[in-house]
Amino acid sequence: MRIGLSLSGGASPGYLQHLALYCALENLGIEVEEIAGTSAGSIVAALIAGGVPVEEILEKVPVTKEIYAP
């Protein structure tokens, strides 16, 4: 079975929620094979598809990241 993930827009809160969801899927061992997004979701999708680790993305997020850390 192939898993695809579609991420919507939502500005700053949106991309943090997208990262939290992706971390949760990783922690559950669910491999996302295809990813797409619009607006803020497209930024997150591009970073993830490009192989940027979630931890590295979170280092650049200008808000408290403890809630979202994997």
Side-chain angles (χ1 to χ4, degrees), residues 4-69:
L5 184 61
S6 176
L7 305 175
S8 66
S12 177
Y15 75 81
L16 290 174
Q17 293 166 358
H18 297 328
L19 290 171
L21 171 63
Y22 187 76
C23 284
L25 293 173
E26 278 188 332
N27 290 339
L28 291 171
I30 299 172
E31 182 180 344
V32 175
E33 297 182 24
E34 300 173 354
I35 189 165
T38 185
S39 191
S42 67
I43 296 168
V44 173
L47 292 168
I48 291 171
V52 179
V54 173
E55 295 80 18
E56 186 176 327
I57 299 169
L58 287 171
E59 287 175 4
K60 295 172 178 34
V61 175
V63 297
T64 304
K65 60 186 177 191
E66 287 78 17
I67 299 170
Y68 306 101

